[in-house]
Amino acid sequence: MNHCKKLGVSLVAAASLLALGTPVMAADVTLRLAHLNPEDPFQSHSGAMTAVFKSLVESASNGDIEVQLFANGQLGKDNEVIDQVSAGIVESTISSSGGVAQSYPPVGVFDIPFAFPNIGVASRVITKDSSFGKKFVADMESSTGMKVMGLLDSGGFFAITNSSKPITSVDDMDGLRIRTMTLPTHEAIISSLGGKPTPLPWAEVYTALQTGVADGQMNPIPIIAFAKFDEVQEYLSVTNHIITPYVWLMNQEFYDGLSDEHKTIVNWASEVATEAGRSMSRVIEASETGLPALSEKMKVNVVSPAEMARFAEQAQPAVRELIAKSYGQAGTDMLEALLSSIEEEKARF
């Protein structure tokens, strides 16, 4: 895979960067950091991450590093901004697995359904420091030529919302058009359960649900909340079927060009910021802005353990087969490393 995917970089995004201008007193280093979610740190985990990172880096560097934040997809879709980071147009981005998959398809191994028993195990595995995280990060950096600054979950386990009926069993999935990320693994999950996968970019999801292009979608609770899907969806079914990563990427040449002192600051600040994002997801899930608020506007049900076992029985083989077919032995090895890491962390509890 090319290390600099310069083709396809959004000219509109580049122009918007120029239009925003530069501060009167320019810092020694400018680090532009993009993400798709709201800027408010109390609304999204990436909002929390970027706010903490900016504060820590600018204060620790005594203003020598200026961190410019671009939230809400200002610079384009996930995959477009990743291309910009690879090309050095933007220094850094925090991306969903749907965006990452365009540059690094093996991210799909995370989508083996019902592999994670609880959020405690997931939090230990989906990190740069786990046995799997180290293997994943090393392979991704080698394949893409970009530096991975952080790895965390995208907001918790996925739930399924729709406008037609509560999902209490596999049978209820039959014929439902469920929006997925542009990930073959997500499409395979929905297809294996009898639904009709409808892959769409994030910017189009709300309108698709509003107009009936899709009957439903699947995402973690914090994302469902800040995206206001309760306005266009009636039912929320807690399935906890998958948990996917957000990956924090940085242009390798930019990072290599930092002084040792600045590298140290960026390294520890990104680690602290990643933990802040992880924690904010848990806070949103449990607080009045998360599931409690959604349950006041939507009909919420929890799928029983017996039915979850049926979901897993149908979906796991389909995803395993896809991983083996699409990613070959390397993909199978990566999946086995993930499952092994999950078993290691389960033993800690």
Side-chain angles (χ1 to χ4, degrees):
M1 185 175 295
N2 292 332
H3 286 186
C4 281
K5 295 168 57 183
K6 295 184 179 180
L7 292 178
V9 171
S10 170
L11 293 176
V12 173
S16 64
L17 281 171
L18 293 174
L20 288 169
T22 56
V24 176
M25 296 297 292
D28 292 341
V29 177
T30 299
L31 194 166
R32 289 160 292 192
L33 175 56
H35 64 102
L36 284 184
N37 298 332
E39 186 173 5
D40 185 345
F42 298 102
Q43 278 194 286
S44 72
H45 70 336
S46 56
M49 290 166 69
T50 53
V52 169
F53 182 73
K54 176 180 174 67
S55 176
L56 293 176
V57 168
E58 292 185 343
S59 60
S61 70
N62 197 28
D64 288 344
I65 304 176
E66 180 194 10
V67 179
Q68 297 179 356
L69 304 180
F70 299 90
N72 289 308
Q74 292 177 60
L75 305 185
K77 300 174 184 177
D78 258 1
N79 61 302
E80 293 171 342
V81 183
I82 290 175
D83 286 351
Q84 293 167 32
V85 172
S86 179
I89 294 173
V90 177
E91 286 71 42
S92 189
T93 186
I94 300 170
S95 176
S96 70
S97 57
V100 169
Q102 310 299 310
S103 300
Y104 184 68
V107 71
V109 300
F110 280 98
D111 295 325
I112 188 74
F114 302 98
F116 292 91
N118 55 61
I119 195 64
V121 169
S123 294
R124 288 182 177 272
V125 173
I126 308 176
T127 171
K128 287 178 62 178
D129 298 325
S130 70
S131 60
F132 174 75
K134 291 175 182 176
K135 178 181 177 68
F136 176 85
V137 167
D139 191 67
M140 184 175 182
E141 290 182 340
S142 175
S143 297
T144 66
M146 289 178 280
K147 185 169 180 62
V148 177
M149 302 302 298
L151 185 67
L152 77 163
D153 67 85
S154 61
F157 285 104
F158 276 45
I160 298 176
T161 69
N162 79 96
S163 57
S164 301
K165 57 187 174 182
I167 297 169
T168 60
S169 70
V170 173
D171 297 336
D172 293 324
M173 292 290 295
D174 187 48
L176 283 180
R177 294 166 298 171
I178 301 296
R179 179 268 172 180
T180 67
M181 297 186 209
T182 52
L183 281 168
T185 42
H186 285 201
E187 295 175 46
I189 290 171
I190 297 303
S191 294
S192 71
L193 298 174
K196 297 180 179 179
T198 307
L200 292 168
W202 175 249
E204 299 175 17
V205 179
Y206 186 96
T207 301
L209 298 174
Q210 186 178 44
T211 59
V213 170
D215 299 313
Q217 61 83 49
M218 57 183 195
N219 260 304
I221 296 298
I223 292 179
I224 293 170
F226 78 65
K228 301 185 184 303
F229 288 152
D230 57 281
E231 297 176 348
V232 290
Q233 300 273 268
E234 185 173 355
Y235 302 96
L236 188 156
S237 301
V238 179
T239 52
N240 291 345
H241 53 296
I242 54 172
I243 185 165
T244 65
Y246 259 37
V247 184
W248 187 346
L249 296 166
M250 185 171 288
N251 178 272
Q252 186 69 57
E253 290 183 13
F254 168 80
Y255 178 82
D256 290 343
L258 294 173
S259 68
D260 290 344
E261 179 185 358
H262 285 172
K263 282 179 184 175
T264 298
I265 292 171
V266 166
N267 288 343
W268 65 253
S270 62
E271 183 172 325
V272 173
T274 298
E275 288 308 309
R278 197 187 310 275
S279 298
M280 183 52 67
S281 288
R282 307 291 82 81
V283 170
I284 294 172
E285 283 177 313
S287 74
E288 60 183 19
T289 59
L291 190 57
L294 292 173
S295 64
E296 293 180 1
K297 302 176 182 179
M298 306 176 75
K299 296 174 183 177
V300 177
N301 71 283
V302 178
V303 177
S304 70
E307 282 301 321
M308 283 189 179
R310 285 189 63 205
F311 273 78
E313 184 179 354
Q314 288 193 210
Q316 278 191 356
V319 176
R320 280 184 174 274
E321 181 180 352
L322 177 63
I323 288 171
K325 181 178 179 181
S326 300
Y327 314 140
Q329 189 60 48
T332 299
D333 291 345
M334 188 71 77
L335 174 60
E336 293 307 316
L338 172 63
L339 297 176
S340 176
S341 187
I342 291 172
E343 290 303 313
E344 287 176 15
E345 298 303 338
K346 282 169 65 176
R348 294 175 180 263
F349 292 98

